[in-house]
Amino acid sequence: MKNIRLTSSNPTLSIASLAVPILIGLLAAVGNPVLDTIMVARFSSTDLAALAVGASIYVSIFVPLAGMMSSLTPTFGHFYGAGNFREMRDTVKQGIWLALFIAAVGSTLLSFPGALLSLAKAPPELVEKATLYLRVLAFSLPASMCFFVYSTLNNAIARPKMVMAIQVSGLLLKIPLNIVFIFGWFGIPAFGGPGCAMATGLLAWFMLAAAIAILRLDSFYSFLHLFGSGFVWPRWHMLKELLKLGIPMGMNSFIEITSFTFMALFIARIGVDIVAGHQIVANISTVLYMLPLATANATSALVAQCLGAKRLPLARQIAFSGQRLAVCIAIVIAISSWFLRHQIIGAYTSNESIVTTALPLITFVCCYQFFFAFQITSGYILRAYKVVLAPTLLYFLTFWCVGLGGGYILAFDVFHLQPPARITGAGGFWFAYSISVVLQSMSLMTLLKTIQRRTEKKPLKRLKRPEENHCRIRPFCC
């Protein structure tokens, strides 16, 4: 197993060791918008509203693009497991081109957000601030997308601690930068909400510079010969292969995020307190999502390495171990969240009306955690097998058709159902979303078992140009 980075003979311990730094990095990334919201709220309500509108548009564009860049993770993992370092190096360079092309599309959308902002029907002052916020972020998008090349490379070879260190450092630097640009220090004018984007932009380029420095100075990466192999033009056949994986992955991310976005828009019609309660529970769900997501990322990386090394039974074993670990964590999360639900919601608000709305909704979050863990891990393991089109169709049928469509029917009582079938209001959306998670998890697990059986009966084609492993594999703690 010279190119399968297991820290223990127990796959579960290996997955857990890899998942912890990934989780810390994900929480650091989630912490950035939380800091923005807290600090802009102290500046003005107008800037906070502009931040809310601008951030929702930015996330709707950024997340699908980041999903497209995720195609690099299974590709790197397969090459690393096979010891095919020349192809791995070429994929890194083509990944940079992919990041630049994707960023060009995203930056164009962010630079001209008029059509998207018109949907909000916001006052001119708010639109002006949101426009500036998005245009500043347009300049940071190339750095953010290129950083994904570094982060996916490190996750694929089970070396995520340097990525974690950069992300945590970025979160710590965000605080002073936000103070400078939001409130205006050292002769710099107070930009309010758009100041968050300026801080984020500087951090994006800082993180990219740190990643490049590590790649150049750390001898671990010498086996790739990234800086001594010269300039490489785009190779369209390689970019096409990456996009075959990346576009469906981006669609998956888009469907997931818009299922929550549209849910909030529909619930907003019911009442202010109800949508506020929904938003609190949605935020709790997002934080809890990070735990199985980190486990799924770690499992997917190790499975991809096993597939590249033709260790198919080990790939199945690691996949099962990852699912089992994610489910055990989910059970603990669900039980803890249920018993601490009053305290958790109380940390967000003391408004009795909002608390009354949020408490029943958090019950749904606790109930679907078990299936949520299976859904996330199965989806990411399928990515390691490079199976992405079928999951995209399942995402559409479950999250949009069952979750959103069914939620709308229940929430607004379209068919005039009678109790106990009648679940109206925000509860209708959350009930339908829970059903969609159950259906999605069962479908993806069935698909995964089918793919595993087919793969083991007919092994994957051997990767081209396998090379001898000349790198010094360091301990996992590096």
Side-chain angles (χ1 to χ4, degrees), residues 336-368:
S336 303
S337 300
W338 170 254
F339 284 107
L340 297 174
R341 62 191 185 282
H342 291 279
Q343 291 84 349
I344 293 172
I345 294 174
Y348 281 86
T349 181
S350 58
N351 187 309
E352 286 298 328
S353 178
I354 298 176
V355 170
T356 302
T357 300
L359 277 174
L361 301 183
I362 202 172
T363 303
F364 293 107
V365 176
C366 297
C367 289
Y368 68 60

PDB file of all heavy atoms in Angstrom, residues 336-368:
ATOM      1  N   SER A 336     -27.781  14.615  20.907  1.00  0.00           N
ATOM      2  CA  SER A 336     -27.315  15.816  21.618  1.00  0.00           C
ATOM      3  C   SER A 336     -28.142  17.039  21.241  1.00  0.00           C
ATOM      4  O   SER A 336     -28.527  17.836  22.109  1.00  0.00           O
ATOM      5  CB  SER A 336     -25.835  16.060  21.309  1.00  0.00           C
ATOM      6  OG  SER A 336     -25.049  14.949  21.658  1.00  0.00           O
ATOM      7  N   SER A 337     -28.407  17.185  19.947  1.00  0.00           N
ATOM      8  CA  SER A 337     -29.182  18.344  19.487  1.00  0.00           C
ATOM      9  C   SER A 337     -30.599  18.315  20.038  1.00  0.00           C
ATOM     10  O   SER A 337     -31.176  19.372  20.353  1.00  0.00           O
ATOM     11  CB  SER A 337     -29.234  18.375  17.954  1.00  0.00           C
ATOM     12  OG  SER A 337     -27.942  18.474  17.412  1.00  0.00           O
ATOM     13  N   TRP A 338     -31.167  17.135  20.166  1.00  0.00           N
ATOM     14  CA  TRP A 338     -32.530  17.035  20.687  1.00  0.00           C
ATOM     15  C   TRP A 338     -32.595  17.480  22.156  1.00  0.00           C
ATOM     16  O   TRP A 338     -33.439  18.291  22.534  1.00  0.00           O
ATOM     17  CB  TRP A 338     -33.038  15.605  20.551  1.00  0.00           C
ATOM     18  CG  TRP A 338     -34.333  15.366  21.282  1.00  0.00           C
ATOM     19  CD1 TRP A 338     -34.524  14.688  22.443  1.00  0.00           C
ATOM     20  CD2 TRP A 338     -35.623  15.854  20.902  1.00  0.00           C
ATOM     21  NE1 TRP A 338     -35.830  14.705  22.818  1.00  0.00           N
ATOM     22  CE2 TRP A 338     -36.549  15.413  21.885  1.00  0.00           C
ATOM     23  CE3 TRP A 338     -36.091  16.611  19.836  1.00  0.00           C
ATOM     24  CZ2 TRP A 338     -37.905  15.707  21.833  1.00  0.00           C
ATOM     25  CZ3 TRP A 338     -37.449  16.904  19.772  1.00  0.00           C
ATOM     26  CH2 TRP A 338     -38.335  16.456  20.752  1.00  0.00           C
ATOM     27  N   PHE A 339     -31.672  16.981  22.962  1.00  0.00           N
ATOM     28  CA  PHE A 339     -31.704  17.323  24.381  1.00  0.00           C
ATOM     29  C   PHE A 339     -31.254  18.762  24.653  1.00  0.00           C
ATOM     30  O   PHE A 339     -31.625  19.346  25.674  1.00  0.00           O
ATOM     31  CB  PHE A 339     -30.842  16.344  25.182  1.00  0.00           C
ATOM     32  CG  PHE A 339     -31.478  15.002  25.388  1.00  0.00           C
ATOM     33  CD1 PHE A 339     -31.029  13.893  24.691  1.00  0.00           C
ATOM     34  CD2 PHE A 339     -32.543  14.852  26.263  1.00  0.00           C
ATOM     35  CE1 PHE A 339     -31.626  12.654  24.855  1.00  0.00           C
ATOM     36  CE2 PHE A 339     -33.149  13.609  26.452  1.00  0.00           C
ATOM     37  CZ  PHE A 339     -32.694  12.504  25.749  1.00  0.00           C
ATOM     38  N   LEU A 340     -30.470  19.328  23.753  1.00  0.00           N
ATOM     39  CA  LEU A 340     -29.978  20.699  23.946  1.00  0.00           C
ATOM     40  C   LEU A 340     -30.684  21.706  23.031  1.00  0.00           C
ATOM     41  O   LEU A 340     -30.204  22.823  22.859  1.00  0.00           O
ATOM     42  CB  LEU A 340     -28.466  20.746  23.669  1.00  0.00           C
ATOM     43  CG  LEU A 340     -27.579  19.906  24.600  1.00  0.00           C
ATOM     44  CD1 LEU A 340     -26.136  19.930  24.111  1.00  0.00           C
ATOM     45  CD2 LEU A 340     -27.662  20.415  26.034  1.00  0.00           C
ATOM     46  N   ARG A 341     -31.826  21.300  22.462  1.00  0.00           N
ATOM     47  CA  ARG A 341     -32.485  22.154  21.467  1.00  0.00           C
ATOM     48  C   ARG A 341     -32.881  23.515  22.021  1.00  0.00           C
ATOM     49  O   ARG A 341     -32.763  24.534  21.332  1.00  0.00           O
ATOM     50  CB  ARG A 341     -33.697  21.440  20.875  1.00  0.00           C
ATOM     51  CG  ARG A 341     -34.802  21.096  21.860  1.00  0.00           C
ATOM     52  CD  ARG A 341     -35.826  20.162  21.214  1.00  0.00           C
ATOM     53  NE  ARG A 341     -36.979  19.886  22.074  1.00  0.00           N
ATOM     54  CZ  ARG A 341     -36.972  19.030  23.079  1.00  0.00           C
ATOM     55  NH1 ARG A 341     -35.862  18.359  23.359  1.00  0.00           N
ATOM     56  NH2 ARG A 341     -38.059  18.832  23.810  1.00  0.00           N
ATOM     57  N   HIS A 342     -33.335  23.553  23.265  1.00  0.00           N
ATOM     58  CA  HIS A 342     -33.725  24.839  23.861  1.00  0.00           C
ATOM     59  C   HIS A 342     -32.511  25.757  24.015  1.00  0.00           C
ATOM     60  O   HIS A 342     -32.580  26.961  23.728  1.00  0.00           O
ATOM     61  CB  HIS A 342     -34.392  24.606  25.217  1.00  0.00           C
ATOM     62  CG  HIS A 342     -35.732  23.942  25.130  1.00  0.00           C
ATOM     63  ND1 HIS A 342     -36.890  24.619  24.828  1.00  0.00           N
ATOM     64  CD2 HIS A 342     -36.080  22.629  25.282  1.00  0.00           C
ATOM     65  CE1 HIS A 342     -37.908  23.767  24.819  1.00  0.00           C
ATOM     66  NE2 HIS A 342     -37.443  22.549  25.089  1.00  0.00           N
ATOM     67  N   GLN A 343     -31.411  25.188  24.467  1.00  0.00           N
ATOM     68  CA  GLN A 343     -30.204  25.992  24.660  1.00  0.00           C
ATOM     69  C   GLN A 343     -29.628  26.453  23.327  1.00  0.00           C
ATOM     70  O   GLN A 343     -29.142  27.588  23.203  1.00  0.00           O
ATOM     71  CB  GLN A 343     -29.151  25.184  25.423  1.00  0.00           C
ATOM     72  CG  GLN A 343     -29.508  24.908  26.875  1.00  0.00           C
ATOM     73  CD  GLN A 343     -30.409  23.691  27.051  1.00  0.00           C
ATOM     74  OE1 GLN A 343     -30.946  23.163  26.083  1.00  0.00           O
ATOM     75  NE2 GLN A 343     -30.587  23.268  28.299  1.00  0.00           N
ATOM     76  N   ILE A 344     -29.654  25.568  22.317  1.00  0.00           N
ATOM     77  CA  ILE A 344     -29.095  25.928  21.008  1.00  0.00           C
ATOM     78  C   ILE A 344     -29.873  27.077  20.386  1.00  0.00           C
ATOM     79  O   ILE A 344     -29.287  28.066  19.931  1.00  0.00           O
ATOM     80  CB  ILE A 344     -29.110  24.695  20.072  1.00  0.00           C
ATOM     81  CG1 ILE A 344     -28.151  23.629  20.581  1.00  0.00           C
ATOM     82  CG2 ILE A 344     -28.727  25.109  18.655  1.00  0.00           C
ATOM     83  CD1 ILE A 344     -28.246  22.315  19.837  1.00  0.00           C
ATOM     84  N   ILE A 345     -31.182  26.969  20.368  1.00  0.00           N
ATOM     85  CA  ILE A 345     -32.002  28.041  19.776  1.00  0.00           C
ATOM     86  C   ILE A 345     -31.928  29.290  20.630  1.00  0.00           C
ATOM     87  O   ILE A 345     -31.906  30.422  20.111  1.00  0.00           O
ATOM     88  CB  ILE A 345     -33.456  27.555  19.610  1.00  0.00           C
ATOM     89  CG1 ILE A 345     -33.502  26.422  18.584  1.00  0.00           C
ATOM     90  CG2 ILE A 345     -34.368  28.698  19.173  1.00  0.00           C
ATOM     91  CD1 ILE A 345     -34.841  25.776  18.429  1.00  0.00           C
ATOM     92  N   GLY A 346     -31.847  29.121  21.965  1.00  0.00           N
ATOM     93  CA  GLY A 346     -31.721  30.276  22.854  1.00  0.00           C
ATOM     94  C   GLY A 346     -30.449  31.061  22.628  1.00  0.00           C
ATOM     95  O   GLY A 346     -30.399  32.272  22.890  1.00  0.00           O
ATOM     96  N   ALA A 347     -29.408  30.396  22.113  1.00  0.00           N
ATOM     97  CA  ALA A 347     -28.156  31.095  21.811  1.00  0.00           C
ATOM     98  C   ALA A 347     -28.307  32.019  20.614  1.00  0.00           C
ATOM     99  O   ALA A 347     -27.540  32.975  20.462  1.00  0.00           O
ATOM    100  CB  ALA A 347     -27.043  30.083  21.544  1.00  0.00           C
ATOM    101  N   TYR A 348     -29.305  31.744  19.763  1.00  0.00           N
ATOM    102  CA  TYR A 348     -29.546  32.576  18.591  1.00  0.00           C
ATOM    103  C   TYR A 348     -30.467  33.756  18.905  1.00  0.00           C
ATOM    104  O   TYR A 348     -30.254  34.872  18.417  1.00  0.00           O
ATOM    105  CB  TYR A 348     -30.181  31.745  17.467  1.00  0.00           C
ATOM    106  CG  TYR A 348     -29.212  30.891  16.693  1.00  0.00           C
ATOM    107  CD1 TYR A 348     -28.876  29.609  17.140  1.00  0.00           C
ATOM    108  CD2 TYR A 348     -28.629  31.339  15.511  1.00  0.00           C
ATOM    109  CE1 TYR A 348     -27.990  28.807  16.431  1.00  0.00           C
ATOM    110  CE2 TYR A 348     -27.751  30.542  14.798  1.00  0.00           C
ATOM    111  CZ  TYR A 348     -27.430  29.280  15.262  1.00  0.00           C
ATOM    112  OH  TYR A 348     -26.558  28.489  14.557  1.00  0.00           O
ATOM    113  N   THR A 349     -31.513  33.514  19.687  1.00  0.00           N
ATOM    114  CA  THR A 349     -32.507  34.557  19.922  1.00  0.00           C
ATOM    115  C   THR A 349     -33.248  34.307  21.232  1.00  0.00           C
ATOM    116  O   THR A 349     -33.345  33.158  21.694  1.00  0.00           O
ATOM    117  CB  THR A 349     -33.535  34.594  18.771  1.00  0.00           C
ATOM    118  OG1 THR A 349     -34.482  35.647  19.010  1.00  0.00           O
ATOM    119  CG2 THR A 349     -34.282  33.283  18.653  1.00  0.00           C
ATOM    120  N   SER A 350     -33.752  35.402  21.804  1.00  0.00           N
ATOM    121  CA  SER A 350     -34.601  35.310  23.003  1.00  0.00           C
ATOM    122  C   SER A 350     -36.045  35.653  22.672  1.00  0.00           C
ATOM    123  O   SER A 350     -36.896  35.671  23.570  1.00  0.00           O
ATOM    124  CB  SER A 350     -34.071  36.249  24.094  1.00  0.00           C
ATOM    125  OG  SER A 350     -34.038  37.598  23.623  1.00  0.00           O
ATOM    126  N   ASN A 351     -36.322  35.937  21.402  1.00  0.00           N
ATOM    127  CA  ASN A 351     -37.679  36.255  20.963  1.00  0.00           C
ATOM    128  C   ASN A 351     -38.554  35.004  21.068  1.00  0.00           C
ATOM    129  O   ASN A 351     -38.317  34.016  20.373  1.00  0.00           O
ATOM    130  CB  ASN A 351     -37.645  36.779  19.526  1.00  0.00           C
ATOM    131  CG  ASN A 351     -38.996  37.283  19.052  1.00  0.00           C
ATOM    132  OD1 ASN A 351     -40.002  36.593  19.158  1.00  0.00           O
ATOM    133  ND2 ASN A 351     -39.019  38.501  18.523  1.00  0.00           N
ATOM    134  N   GLU A 352     -39.573  35.060  21.923  1.00  0.00           N
ATOM    135  CA  GLU A 352     -40.396  33.881  22.184  1.00  0.00           C
ATOM    136  C   GLU A 352     -41.120  33.392  20.936  1.00  0.00           C
ATOM    137  O   GLU A 352     -41.285  32.191  20.724  1.00  0.00           O
ATOM    138  CB  GLU A 352     -41.411  34.200  23.288  1.00  0.00           C
ATOM    139  CG  GLU A 352     -40.821  34.274  24.679  1.00  0.00           C
ATOM    140  CD  GLU A 352     -40.219  32.949  25.118  1.00  0.00           C
ATOM    141  OE1 GLU A 352     -40.731  31.890  24.716  1.00  0.00           O
ATOM    142  OE2 GLU A 352     -39.212  32.968  25.848  1.00  0.00           O
ATOM    143  N   SER A 353     -41.563  34.321  20.099  1.00  0.00           N
ATOM    144  CA  SER A 353     -42.285  33.940  18.889  1.00  0.00           C
ATOM    145  C   SER A 353     -41.385  33.157  17.932  1.00  0.00           C
ATOM    146  O   SER A 353     -41.793  32.136  17.354  1.00  0.00           O
ATOM    147  CB  SER A 353     -42.836  35.184  18.188  1.00  0.00           C
ATOM    148  OG  SER A 353     -43.508  34.836  16.998  1.00  0.00           O
ATOM    149  N   ILE A 354     -40.139  33.622  17.784  1.00  0.00           N
ATOM    150  CA  ILE A 354     -39.194  32.935  16.902  1.00  0.00           C
ATOM    151  C   ILE A 354     -38.791  31.594  17.493  1.00  0.00           C
ATOM    152  O   ILE A 354     -38.692  30.586  16.779  1.00  0.00           O
ATOM    153  CB  ILE A 354     -37.952  33.822  16.655  1.00  0.00           C
ATOM    154  CG1 ILE A 354     -38.356  35.123  15.944  1.00  0.00           C
ATOM    155  CG2 ILE A 354     -36.918  33.064  15.835  1.00  0.00           C
ATOM    156  CD1 ILE A 354     -37.211  36.088  15.739  1.00  0.00           C
ATOM    157  N   VAL A 355     -38.580  31.554  18.811  1.00  0.00           N
ATOM    158  CA  VAL A 355     -38.226  30.300  19.475  1.00  0.00           C
ATOM    159  C   VAL A 355     -39.340  29.270  19.295  1.00  0.00           C
ATOM    160  O   VAL A 355     -39.077  28.094  19.005  1.00  0.00           O
ATOM    161  CB  VAL A 355     -37.958  30.541  20.972  1.00  0.00           C
ATOM    162  CG1 VAL A 355     -37.829  29.216  21.716  1.00  0.00           C
ATOM    163  CG2 VAL A 355     -36.692  31.375  21.163  1.00  0.00           C
ATOM    164  N   THR A 356     -40.583  29.701  19.443  1.00  0.00           N
ATOM    165  CA  THR A 356     -41.729  28.799  19.277  1.00  0.00           C
ATOM    166  C   THR A 356     -41.786  28.233  17.868  1.00  0.00           C
ATOM    167  O   THR A 356     -42.170  27.072  17.661  1.00  0.00           O
ATOM    168  CB  THR A 356     -43.035  29.546  19.583  1.00  0.00           C
ATOM    169  OG1 THR A 356     -42.977  30.070  20.920  1.00  0.00           O
ATOM    170  CG2 THR A 356     -44.244  28.625  19.462  1.00  0.00           C
ATOM    171  N   THR A 357     -41.400  29.039  16.888  1.00  0.00           N
ATOM    172  CA  THR A 357     -41.380  28.574  15.498  1.00  0.00           C
ATOM    173  C   THR A 357     -40.230  27.609  15.236  1.00  0.00           C
ATOM    174  O   THR A 357     -40.385  26.609  14.529  1.00  0.00           O
ATOM    175  CB  THR A 357     -41.254  29.778  14.543  1.00  0.00           C
ATOM    176  OG1 THR A 357     -42.368  30.656  14.744  1.00  0.00           O
ATOM    177  CG2 THR A 357     -41.230  29.320  13.095  1.00  0.00           C
ATOM    178  N   ALA A 358     -39.078  27.899  15.814  1.00  0.00           N
ATOM    179  CA  ALA A 358     -37.875  27.128  15.516  1.00  0.00           C
ATOM    180  C   ALA A 358     -37.856  25.761  16.201  1.00  0.00           C
ATOM    181  O   ALA A 358     -37.337  24.789  15.639  1.00  0.00           O
ATOM    182  CB  ALA A 358     -36.633  27.923  15.912  1.00  0.00           C
ATOM    183  N   LEU A 359     -38.403  25.658  17.408  1.00  0.00           N
ATOM    184  CA  LEU A 359     -38.318  24.406  18.172  1.00  0.00           C
ATOM    185  C   LEU A 359     -38.900  23.199  17.436  1.00  0.00           C
ATOM    186  O   LEU A 359     -38.261  22.132  17.383  1.00  0.00           O
ATOM    187  CB  LEU A 359     -38.995  24.574  19.532  1.00  0.00           C
ATOM    188  CG  LEU A 359     -38.137  25.216  20.633  1.00  0.00           C
ATOM    189  CD1 LEU A 359     -38.955  25.467  21.885  1.00  0.00           C
ATOM    190  CD2 LEU A 359     -36.934  24.339  20.953  1.00  0.00           C
ATOM    191  N   PRO A 360     -40.090  23.294  16.841  1.00  0.00           N
ATOM    192  CA  PRO A 360     -40.599  22.114  16.114  1.00  0.00           C
ATOM    193  C   PRO A 360     -39.746  21.764  14.893  1.00  0.00           C
ATOM    194  O   PRO A 360     -39.650  20.586  14.523  1.00  0.00           O
ATOM    195  CB  PRO A 360     -42.010  22.542  15.681  1.00  0.00           C
ATOM    196  CG  PRO A 360     -42.367  23.681  16.565  1.00  0.00           C
ATOM    197  CD  PRO A 360     -41.082  24.372  16.861  1.00  0.00           C
ATOM    198  N   LEU A 361     -39.124  22.776  14.273  1.00  0.00           N
ATOM    199  CA  LEU A 361     -38.344  22.531  13.059  1.00  0.00           C
ATOM    200  C   LEU A 361     -37.052  21.790  13.352  1.00  0.00           C
ATOM    201  O   LEU A 361     -36.590  20.987  12.533  1.00  0.00           O
ATOM    202  CB  LEU A 361     -38.034  23.858  12.350  1.00  0.00           C
ATOM    203  CG  LEU A 361     -39.256  24.696  11.918  1.00  0.00           C
ATOM    204  CD1 LEU A 361     -38.794  25.937  11.162  1.00  0.00           C
ATOM    205  CD2 LEU A 361     -40.202  23.873  11.064  1.00  0.00           C
ATOM    206  N   ILE A 362     -36.465  22.045  14.514  1.00  0.00           N
ATOM    207  CA  ILE A 362     -35.200  21.380  14.829  1.00  0.00           C
ATOM    208  C   ILE A 362     -35.410  19.879  15.033  1.00  0.00           C
ATOM    209  O   ILE A 362     -34.478  19.080  14.913  1.00  0.00           O
ATOM    210  CB  ILE A 362     -34.530  22.017  16.068  1.00  0.00           C
ATOM    211  CG1 ILE A 362     -33.027  21.707  16.061  1.00  0.00           C
ATOM    212  CG2 ILE A 362     -35.169  21.539  17.357  1.00  0.00           C
ATOM    213  CD1 ILE A 362     -32.246  22.452  17.124  1.00  0.00           C
ATOM    214  N   THR A 363     -36.657  19.493  15.311  1.00  0.00           N
ATOM    215  CA  THR A 363     -36.979  18.067  15.429  1.00  0.00           C
ATOM    216  C   THR A 363     -36.692  17.343  14.113  1.00  0.00           C
ATOM    217  O   THR A 363     -36.172  16.220  14.101  1.00  0.00           O
ATOM    218  CB  THR A 363     -38.458  17.877  15.804  1.00  0.00           C
ATOM    219  OG1 THR A 363     -38.733  18.584  17.018  1.00  0.00           O
ATOM    220  CG2 THR A 363     -38.791  16.408  16.001  1.00  0.00           C
ATOM    221  N   PHE A 364     -37.027  17.983  12.999  1.00  0.00           N
ATOM    222  CA  PHE A 364     -36.759  17.384  11.693  1.00  0.00           C
ATOM    223  C   PHE A 364     -35.260  17.193  11.476  1.00  0.00           C
ATOM    224  O   PHE A 364     -34.819  16.160  10.949  1.00  0.00           O
ATOM    225  CB  PHE A 364     -37.348  18.243  10.576  1.00  0.00           C
ATOM    226  CG  PHE A 364     -38.853  18.299  10.566  1.00  0.00           C
ATOM    227  CD1 PHE A 364     -39.526  19.436  10.958  1.00  0.00           C
ATOM    228  CD2 PHE A 364     -39.587  17.201  10.159  1.00  0.00           C
ATOM    229  CE1 PHE A 364     -40.912  19.492  10.950  1.00  0.00           C
ATOM    230  CE2 PHE A 364     -40.979  17.238  10.137  1.00  0.00           C
ATOM    231  CZ  PHE A 364     -41.636  18.382  10.544  1.00  0.00           C
ATOM    232  N   VAL A 365     -34.473  18.199  11.879  1.00  0.00           N
ATOM    233  CA  VAL A 365     -33.020  18.120  11.728  1.00  0.00           C
ATOM    234  C   VAL A 365     -32.468  16.926  12.495  1.00  0.00           C
ATOM    235  O   VAL A 365     -31.611  16.184  11.993  1.00  0.00           O
ATOM    236  CB  VAL A 365     -32.349  19.427  12.203  1.00  0.00           C
ATOM    237  CG1 VAL A 365     -30.833  19.326  12.132  1.00  0.00           C
ATOM    238  CG2 VAL A 365     -32.829  20.605  11.364  1.00  0.00           C
ATOM    239  N   CYS A 366     -32.972  16.721  13.710  1.00  0.00           N
ATOM    240  CA  CYS A 366     -32.512  15.585  14.517  1.00  0.00           C
ATOM    241  C   CYS A 366     -32.917  14.250  13.886  1.00  0.00           C
ATOM    242  O   CYS A 366     -32.145  13.284  13.910  1.00  0.00           O
ATOM    243  CB  CYS A 366     -33.097  15.686  15.925  1.00  0.00           C
ATOM    244  SG  CYS A 366     -32.561  17.141  16.854  1.00  0.00           S
ATOM    245  N   CYS A 367     -34.111  14.210  13.312  1.00  0.00           N
ATOM    246  CA  CYS A 367     -34.631  12.949  12.773  1.00  0.00           C
ATOM    247  C   CYS A 367     -33.896  12.495  11.517  1.00  0.00           C
ATOM    248  O   CYS A 367     -33.707  11.285  11.310  1.00  0.00           O
ATOM    249  CB  CYS A 367     -36.129  13.079  12.485  1.00  0.00           C
ATOM    250  SG  CYS A 367     -37.152  13.162  13.967  1.00  0.00           S
ATOM    251  N   TYR A 368     -33.488  13.445  10.664  1.00  0.00           N
ATOM    252  CA  TYR A 368     -32.895  12.992   9.394  1.00  0.00           C
ATOM    253  C   TYR A 368     -31.375  12.888   9.423  1.00  0.00           C
ATOM    254  O   TYR A 368     -30.758  12.566   8.405  1.00  0.00           O
ATOM    255  CB  TYR A 368     -33.356  13.851   8.216  1.00  0.00           C
ATOM    256  CG  TYR A 368     -32.882  15.292   8.172  1.00  0.00           C
ATOM    257  CD1 TYR A 368     -31.530  15.621   8.114  1.00  0.00           C
ATOM    258  CD2 TYR A 368     -33.794  16.341   8.107  1.00  0.00           C
ATOM    259  CE1 TYR A 368     -31.099  16.928   8.034  1.00  0.00           C
ATOM    260  CE2 TYR A 368     -33.376  17.663   8.017  1.00  0.00           C
ATOM    261  CZ  TYR A 368     -32.034  17.946   7.979  1.00  0.00           C
ATOM    262  OH  TYR A 368     -31.618  19.249   7.887  1.00  0.00           O
TER     263      TYR A 368
END
